[in-house]
Amino acid sequence: MAQQAYMEETDNGGSGPERQSSRFRRLLERLLTGWRGDPRIWRRGLVVAALALVLALVMLVHSRIPNRIGNLGSLIETFLPWLGLFVPVLLVLGVVRKSATALIAVLLPAVVWLNLFGGLLTDKTGSGGDLTVATHNVNADNPDPSGTARDVAASGADVVALEELTAGAVPTYEKALAATYRYHSVQGTVGLWSKYPLTAVRPVDIKLGWTRAMRATVATPEGQLAVYVAHLPSVRVKMEAGFTARQRDKSADALGEAIADEPLQRIVLLGDLNGTMNDRALNAVTSQMRSTQGAAGSGFGFSWPASFPMARIDQILVKGVEPESSWTLPETGSDHLPLAARVKVDTSS
C-alpha cells in the first residue's frame, strides 16, 4: 500500500507545470553543456555563419541586385522585410550546433534588418492633421460593392480614392457614397470622392492606352491640394520569365513625370502602385514623395493580400503636406485592404 501511494504521489506530482519546467531546464542545460572550454565552438557551424553573411549582404546591397534577369532585384525588394524571418532560424541553428562563430555571424543580418526596418516597429502616429484621405483597390470581382463603399466611408475620410472600378459597378459605388461625398469623378477604372469641391479633373496618361490614373484639385478649407489616383499595371512571378514588371515600371516613370510637373506645391498620391517603397522601379515616384506609413504609421501596414497581408503595394504618398497618422482599415470584399491617413495640409503654423 505504501509503495502504491508513493507511485501515485509521484505520478500526480510530476504531471503538472513543474514537469514541463523541469524538461525545459534539462533541454536548456543539454544545449548549453559543453560550450565552456570547447575549442570546437569556433570551428563548428561554418555553413550557418556563411548563410548569415549572405543574408546580411543581400539586405545590405539589395539595390544593387540587377533586374536584368527576371527583375530579380525588384522581386527581392518587394518582400525584403520578410528576409528578417531567417535571422531567428539561423540563431536557433547556431545554438543547436553550439557554434560561437555562427552566433556572432547572425548578429550581422540582425543589425542590417534593424537598420532598414527598425523604425517601422515604433508607433509614430500623431493626433494632429486637418484632412483624412483613404484609398482602396476594390477588386473588379468584389461580390459586395455597396458594403465595401460603406466600409470605406465609415472611416471618416474626407477624400476617398477607389481603384479597379468596373463600368457595371460604378453606379453602385456612386449611390452608396452619394450621401457622404457631394463631389466625385470617375476616370476610366479609378475614381475620386470628396467632401470638398473638385476642379481641374483630368485623366493622367501612364502609357497604357486606357485610363488608370487621374488628377484633381481638391479645395480643402486649408487650401488647394492636388490629388492623384493611380492603379499601376499588375506584376506577375512566372517560372519562365521571373518577375514581369516592365509595363508597371514604364507606367511608374510616366506617373513620376506627371507629379514632377504638377504646378501645385501640395500633392497627395492615392492608389495601388503594385510595388513597395523599397522597389527601385518606383523611384520616379517614391524619390519625390513621402510614405505616410513610413513617416507617421505603426508597423509595416501591409495591404495585400487581404487574407494574409505580405506587402504594402497600396500607397498613400505626400509632397508638401505633413503626415500625422497612417493606418490600414478592416478587410472588405476586396483582396486588398483599404488604407487611410491623416495629413496636415496647412503647414504654415
Side-chain angles (χ1 to χ4, degrees):
M1 291 292 291
Q3 182 179 7
Q4 182 178 0
Y6 173 77
M7 292 177 62
E8 289 178 355
E9 181 178 348
T10 54
D11 285 344
N12 293 336
S15 60
E18 291 184 4
R19 171 176 289 187
Q20 296 177 356
S21 176
S22 178
R23 286 177 177 174
F24 178 76
R25 271 199 309 271
R26 288 198 298 269
L27 176 62
L28 188 61
E29 290 172 358
R30 192 178 305 162
L31 288 173
L32 296 179
T33 298
W35 285 72
R36 183 176 299 177
D38 183 0
R40 292 178 300 171
I41 63 175
W42 300 103
R43 297 196 296 269
R44 286 192 297 257
L46 296 182
V47 173
V48 177
L51 291 174
L53 294 177
V54 170
L55 178 61
L57 187 63
V58 169
M59 291 191 290
L60 190 63
V61 299
H62 64 87
S63 61
R64 296 181 179 272
I65 298 174
N67 263 339
R68 290 190 298 273
I69 303 175
N71 280 311
L72 180 62
S74 287
L75 177 60
I76 290 175
E77 288 169 335
T78 298
F79 300 102
L80 194 61
W82 292 94
L83 293 184
L85 293 179
F86 289 106
V87 173
V89 173
L90 293 173
L91 179 63
V92 170
L93 290 176
V95 172
V96 171
R97 291 288 293 139
K98 297 181 180 179
S99 169
T101 302
L103 293 181
I104 292 173
V106 170
L107 289 175
L108 292 176
V111 169
V112 173
W113 190 91
L114 286 173
N115 181 61
L116 290 173
F117 303 110
L120 294 175
L121 301 180
T122 60
D123 188 352
K124 299 177 289 297
T125 302
S127 57
D130 45 41
L131 185 76
T132 301
V133 297
T135 181
H136 191 24
N137 180 326
V138 295
N139 187 1
D141 298 321
N142 192 319
D144 184 20
S146 293
T148 296
R150 288 193 298 269
D151 289 343
V152 176
S155 68
D158 302 300
V159 177
V160 171
L162 301 182
E163 304 87 49
E164 208 165 295
L165 296 169
T166 63
V170 166
T172 303
Y173 287 106
E174 290 176 330
K175 181 179 179 180
L177 295 171
T180 307
Y181 302 98
R182 181 178 178 183
Y183 309 94
H184 86 279
S185 175
V186 175
Q187 303 286 323
T189 61
V190 297
L192 187 66
W193 277 259
S194 172
K195 295 179 180 179
Y196 307 118
L198 302 177
T199 57
V201 179
R202 59 175 174 80
V204 174
D205 182 12
I206 55 173
K207 311 302 180 185
L208 283 175
W210 69 96
T211 301
R212 283 176 48 148
M214 64 176 290
R215 178 254 182 236
T217 298
V218 180
T220 77
E222 288 71 33
Q224 290 190 330
L225 177 71
V227 176
Y228 284 76
V229 183
H231 183 194
L232 298 188
S234 299
V235 296
R236 298 287 185 271
V237 180
K238 300 179 180 179
M239 291 297 294
E240 72 280 5
F243 191 59
T244 57
R246 183 173 300 177
Q247 186 59 65
R248 190 277 312 266
D249 299 348
K250 181 180 177 182
S251 292
D253 290 342
L255 179 61
E257 291 177 8
I259 293 172
D261 293 337
E262 170 60 47
L264 294 182
Q265 298 299 310
R266 294 178 290 201
I267 308 171
V268 172
L269 169 61
L270 307 168
D272 175 5
L273 303 189
N274 270 305
T276 68
M277 293 297 290
N278 297 312
D279 190 341
R280 93 286 298 269
L282 300 183
N283 279 353
V285 175
T286 57
S287 63
Q288 56 180 321
M289 306 191 79
R290 301 171 66 193
S291 164
T292 58
Q293 184 66 25
S298 176
F300 291 92
F302 294 148
S303 63
W304 177 90
S307 56
F308 187 80
M310 298 183 64
R312 186 180 176 89
I313 63 174
D314 303 273
Q315 305 290 349
I316 300 177
L317 307 180
V318 298
K319 179 180 180 181
V321 302
E322 188 64 28
E324 295 291 342
S325 57
S326 186
W327 64 97
T328 56
L329 296 170
E331 186 176 357
T332 69
S334 172
D335 57 341
H336 292 242
L337 292 179
L339 309 178
R342 185 81 175 164
V343 301
K344 188 176 182 180
V345 177
D346 183 5
T347 58
S348 59
S349 58

